[in-house]
Structures are given as structure tokens and as C-alpha cells.
Amino acid sequence: MKKLFSWGWNNILFLSTLFLLMFIPLYPKLPLLDLQNTWVYIRAEDFLIIFVLVLWLFLFFRKKVTIKTPLTVPIMIYWLVGALATINGVLLIFPQTPNVFPNVAFLSFLRHVEYLTLFFVAYSGMKDKKFLSVVIGVLVFTLFIVIFYGIGQKYLGFPAFL
């Protein structure tokens, strides 16, 4: 039991990645919090992602994981361009456009940052090539559940979530 707990703690980012690979596609996009004057909602997955990112930051500051990956620079450039485009839109384009809300643009940009940060979590969690077969297995399992639920929506009256 002690060995299993030790393995679990040493691979907590890998286990978190597996959980998020199943949870994000399968859990309905039900809003938990409504943000005023927007059509943006905070969902359960946002809290789970923040929890995993805090865990990753904890390990990062303890120097257990690193931000060095083959895609770090392109991701940083993407975030920079997205931030500049959002700032440009908020300052120059949105004031002349009716019924456009700057806070929605900012929240949309944050959602893109939120999802891309999971790349660093998954990259840090993949310590061994043997883990790849487990990831593929989880993805295939999740896909079959999605297919089953889709068939259930079509023929068995399962509820549809937007």
C-alpha cells in the first residue's frame, strides 16, 4: 500500500492528466457560476483545472517539474499574440462597435490560456513512454462513452447538454 501511495504521489501529474482527459469531455458543460453582463460561465472543469495548475505550480517551485518543453516558445508567442489582439480589440475596435463587451474578450482569452497550460501538466506527467499506452487507452475508453451517450441521445432519449 505504501508503494502504491508513493507511486501515485510521484506520478500525480500523470494521474491528474488521465482524470482530466476523461472528465472534460464527459462532464456536461453545466454552469456553476454566472458572470454578470456576459454569456460566460464558470464550470466545474475550471475549478479542477485550477486545482491541477496549483499542484503543478507547487511542484514547479519545488523544482520537481520544469517549463522547458519543445513547445514552450510557440505557446508563449501564441499567448503574447492573443493578449495583444485582445488589448487591441478592447482599446481600438470595441469602443466603436455597439453591443460588444471587453470583459467577454478577456475571459475568452483566459479560457485559451487555461486550456493550453494543461499541456505543461501533461508534458510533466509523461515521465515514461509506457504511459502513452495508458493515455491512448483512456482516450479510447472516453471516446466509446461519448459514442454510447450520443447513441443514447438519438435513440434512448438521453438528455442533451449544450
Side-chain angles (χ1 to χ4, degrees):
M1 185 68 166
K2 197 175 191 181
K3 216 175 197 184
L4 182 64
F5 181 76
S6 175
W7 183 90
W9 178 250
N10 290 335
N11 294 294
I12 191 71
L13 293 177
F14 173 69
L15 295 173
S16 299
T17 301
L18 292 179
F19 179 75
L20 289 174
L21 282 173
M22 286 183 57
F23 185 83
I24 291 173
L26 294 178
Y27 188 77
K29 305 300 181 227
L30 300 174
L32 291 180
L33 299 172
D34 181 16
L35 300 177
Q36 293 296 330
N37 303 322
T38 70
W39 55 87
V40 178
Y41 300 99
I42 296 176
R43 305 180 302 232
E45 68 192 49
D46 296 322
F47 289 109
L48 285 172
I49 290 170
I50 288 171
F51 176 75
V52 170
L53 291 177
V54 166
L55 177 65
W56 184 88
L57 284 172
F58 172 76
L59 294 172
F60 178 75
F61 288 123
R62 299 221 24 213
K63 300 199 186 309
K64 302 282 186 190
V65 296
T66 181
I67 198 166
K68 290 179 111 179
T69 72
L71 294 179
T72 299
V73 173
I75 288 173
M76 297 298 174
I77 292 170
Y78 176 78
W79 284 342
L80 179 65
V81 170
L84 291 174
T86 302
I87 292 168
N88 178 50
V90 167
L91 296 179
L92 300 177
I93 298 170
F94 292 179
Q96 287 84 24
T97 309
N99 299 324
V100 177
F101 306 102
N103 53 348
V104 175
F106 177 69
L107 292 169
S108 177
F109 172 69
L110 280 182
R111 177 94 45 184
H112 286 83
V113 170
E114 174 189 35
Y115 282 134
L116 261 179
T117 54
L118 292 178
F119 166 77
F120 296 105
V121 173
Y123 188 86
S124 299
M126 293 294 292
K127 295 178 182 177
D128 192 355
K129 287 187 178 189
K130 291 186 276 187
F131 289 172
L132 186 59
S133 61
V134 177
V135 169
I136 291 170
V138 166
L139 287 173
V140 168
F141 176 73
T142 304
L143 176 66
F144 282 126
I145 292 176
V146 168
I147 290 170
F148 170 75
Y149 196 84
I151 292 169
Q153 283 180 318
K154 179 78 173 169
Y155 300 109
L156 302 173
F158 288 4
F161 298 100
L162 297 177

